[in-house]
Amino acid sequence: MAFCKTVWSGVHILPNGDVRLCSINNDATNESGVGRDKDGNVINILTHDFAQAINSDKHLAVRAADLQDESAWHSMCSCCEHKELATNSNKDPSAGFISRRFYLDSVVASDINADNFSNYSVDGTVQYAPSSLDLRFGNLCNQACVQCGPFYSNKWYADWEVYGEPTGWGPSLTHLKENELGKIVKENDVRWWESDIWWNKFTQILPGVTHIYLTGGEPMVVSDHERLLDTIIDAGYASQVFLEYDSNCTAIKSNLFEKWSKFKKVHIRASMDAIQGRYELIRYGGKWETFTKNIKKIQELSKETNGRVELTAVSSCYQMSTLFSMVEAEEWCNNNGFKFHMRFVDSPFVHSVNYLPSNAKQELIEFYSNYPNSITAHTIINYLNSIENNWELGHVAGYIKFMDALDARRNTNWKEVLPDVWNFLKKYKISVTIKR
């Protein structure tokens, strides 16, 4: 698949402390990248050390594949594979459309690179600590986006019955229950980021850490986020650490800019998905006016840090709820002086465009062909042409059922807010039903 710094230099820690290969590995046949040790136990940051974490069975599997044939893609890396096909393997981060693999190659400082990685291992095992950390300090969040769930947002707890089952990755699941007060809470809630065990392990490897990616939940509302920054600053390593965030940008404190100015670089992507009423439906709990006010404020404050802090892009996910609205989002960003960034949702399956029937995908391709000057439209067309034709009626119908259930609980009306999506899916749900 060619070299990837996440695979060779990184560790991703989930909200429950379990270790995963990377944040965008959705290969269910490989437990969605959740790592196990040589005895078959799930690796958790409270029970295992970083040497075990960076040598999880999933890390070893992809590295071994790299060593055997560096041009081949492992199934755990299909998200980047599809993104690179959609973007014609663009490697320029400033363009806004770039795979995670290429982005990290541009920002993570590491001795290991595409030219020498084979010198560091014979079988995939490495003898060094991770230089790149992907951290989820729990699932505390102030929004409950439709494509998210209880695993990444505690705001989803009230609506957990819509899922009807535990959510998460592979063996790493969030189980909810009703407590004696009638409140929905998480079972076995381990706040690993508050443990001395975690902080001791982190400070031991800190001298070699050059990149930290923080999202959530919402990273800006977690109290230990600032503890992390202060720990790095006080230890004297801030100038070597590149910070990266995905944030909904609704709770950023102004005092963070003084802390951020001490770091090597800070990249912030503001999560938007759509504009105006579509934004408020998809990013439930968010207010469009507040969001736009805040990102403009962040853009202004960033100027005072001499380029160290940068709102690099406004980010949107191409998914069922945004089938026809991505160019609109792109145009809003262009008109307001923001770079536009796009991701493709491939799970949960009901939110992914991957499972639409081929004639539905073709209609989307024809729709976006009407925008020849749009990078977003061109990328979506490439993506739809690159994914396999594995349509699944259950997922298409499941999205409709899912959104109807959310309407009943949240007093929203998705068919009214997203009429183009509803009419489109209704048409293809009927045609697929007849065909089967």
Side-chain angles (χ1 to χ4, degrees):
M1 67 160 214
F3 175 78
C4 175
K5 285 187 177 178
T6 288
V7 173
W8 285 87
S9 305
V11 165
H12 171 38
I13 304 178
L14 290 164
N16 62 357
D18 288 347
V19 167
R20 191 175 175 216
L21 176 65
C22 81
S23 59
I24 54 175
N25 168 23
N26 300 326
D27 180 12
T29 62
N30 281 286
E31 301 183 300
S32 296
V34 175
R36 293 184 183 271
D37 61 24
K38 57 183 61 177
D39 295 320
N41 301 309
V42 171
I43 297 176
N44 187 282
I45 197 59
L46 297 183
T47 57
H48 294 72
D49 58 31
F50 274 108
Q52 292 170 298
I54 200 171
N55 286 302
S56 78
D57 61 333
K58 307 309 186 298
H59 285 81
L60 295 183
V62 180
R63 289 188 201 133
D66 282 354
L67 292 167
Q68 183 176 4
D69 181 1
E70 64 178 76
S71 66
W73 285 90
H74 195 284
S75 60
M76 283 189 275
C77 306
S78 61
C79 188
C80 278
E81 179 184 14
H82 290 147
K83 187 67 173 284
E84 290 177 23
L85 287 171
T87 59
N88 295 319
S89 295
N90 170 56
K91 295 183 180 181
D92 180 9
S94 66
F97 296 89
I98 187 171
S99 71
R100 183 81 184 146
R101 179 172 79 100
F102 284 152
Y103 173 79
L104 290 177
D105 192 53
S106 71
V107 301
V108 176
S110 173
D111 292 333
I112 302 92
N113 57 54
D115 296 323
N116 67 11
F117 70 88
S118 60
N119 297 332
Y120 285 85
S121 178
V122 175
D123 61 355
T125 305
V126 298
Q127 303 300 324
Y128 49 79
S131 58
S132 174
L133 296 177
D134 183 336
L135 305 177
R136 305 290 189 275
F137 280 180
N139 67 347
L140 183 65
C141 194
N142 54 1
Q143 294 183 354
C145 304
V146 297
Q147 72 273 21
C148 193
F151 192 76
Y152 286 121
S153 172
N154 70 317
K155 281 290 185 182
W156 252 99
Y157 288 1
D159 301 321
W160 72 286
E161 290 177 331
V162 173
Y163 271 94
E165 58 186 23
T167 63
W169 302 107
S172 300
L173 300 173
T174 289
H175 296 266
L176 301 177
K177 67 178 182 179
E178 187 175 298
N179 67 12
E180 62 276 6
L181 300 176
K183 183 179 180 180
I184 303 299
V185 296
K186 183 164 63 172
E187 291 184 2
N188 303 319
D189 189 10
V190 179
R191 304 170 71 85
W192 61 270
W193 61 94
E194 295 178 352
S195 169
D196 288 341
I197 295 173
W198 148 254
W199 288 107
N200 290 336
K201 292 177 180 178
F202 173 69
T203 54
Q204 287 175 12
I205 70 163
L206 179 55
V209 173
T210 61
H211 167 259
I212 299 177
Y213 172 42
L214 294 156
T215 183
E218 169 50 45
M220 306 302 174
V221 301
V222 179
S223 58
D224 282 85
H225 166 234
E226 291 195 49
R227 179 181 177 183
L228 178 75
L229 302 184
D230 291 337
T231 297
I232 299 170
I233 292 169
D234 293 344
Y237 294 108
S239 62
Q240 74 179 30
V241 176
F242 192 115
L243 292 177
E244 177 196 359
Y245 293 88
D246 273 296
S247 169
N248 62 37
C249 294
T250 61
I252 294 181
K253 304 174 185 176
S254 58
N255 73 303
L256 287 174
F257 284 85
E258 190 276 329
K259 297 179 189 291
W260 284 337
S261 66
K262 302 180 186 301
F263 285 80
K264 180 180 180 179
K265 191 77 174 178
V266 180
H267 276 185
I268 303 171
R269 284 182 297 272
S271 302
M272 181 177 77
D273 291 327
I275 68 172
Q276 300 172 337
R278 292 175 185 256
Y279 166 91
E280 295 187 358
L281 175 84
I282 296 170
R283 304 196 66 82
Y284 183 73
K287 298 298 181 184
W288 175 245
E289 183 178 353
T290 301
F291 172 76
T292 55
K293 177 182 176 182
N294 282 358
I295 60 173
K296 290 175 182 178
K297 179 180 179 181
I298 293 168
Q299 195 174 49
E300 288 302 313
L301 288 173
S302 296
K303 296 176 182 177
E304 301 175 10
T305 65
N306 296 318
R308 289 206 174 188
V309 181
E310 183 182 359
L311 183 66
T312 56
V314 173
S315 180
S316 293
C317 293
Y318 190 56
Q319 56 180 307
M320 297 292 245
S321 297
T322 60
L323 284 176
F324 297 97
S325 57
M326 297 304 281
V327 171
E328 179 183 55
E330 177 191 38
E331 290 177 345
W332 183 89
C333 288
N334 291 341
N335 292 336
N336 286 275
F338 299 105
K339 292 179 181 177
F340 184 67
H341 177 261
M342 180 174 58
R343 295 185 174 101
F344 297 97
V345 172
D346 55 9
S347 69
F349 296 148
V350 297
H351 295 289
S352 174
V353 303
N354 295 11
Y355 303 97
L356 288 168
S358 57
N359 50 350
K361 292 174 185 173
Q362 184 57 43
E363 183 174 332
L364 289 170
I365 290 171
E366 292 172 1
F367 172 81
Y368 282 103
S369 295
N370 294 318
Y371 301 93
N373 298 321
S374 166
I375 297 175
T376 296
H378 180 70
T379 304
I380 290 173
I381 291 170
N382 284 349
Y383 180 80
L384 292 172
N385 280 323
S386 72
I387 55 179
E388 297 178 3
N389 185 25
N390 54 353
W391 65 267
E392 177 57 54
L393 170 62
H395 298 327
V396 178
Y399 171 82
I400 297 172
K401 180 179 179 182
F402 183 92
M403 295 298 286
D404 284 346
L406 277 187
D407 276 353
R409 299 189 67 88
R410 296 179 173 181
N411 194 30
T412 52
N413 190 335
W414 77 273
K415 295 170 185 174
E416 182 178 287
V417 178
L418 312 175
D420 45 6
V421 177
W422 164 234
N423 291 327
F424 179 79
L425 294 182
K426 180 172 59 174
K427 175 173 59 176
Y428 284 104
K429 178 185 175 226
I430 293 172
S431 66
V432 170
T433 302
I434 294 172
K435 184 177 180 179
R436 288 174 69 92

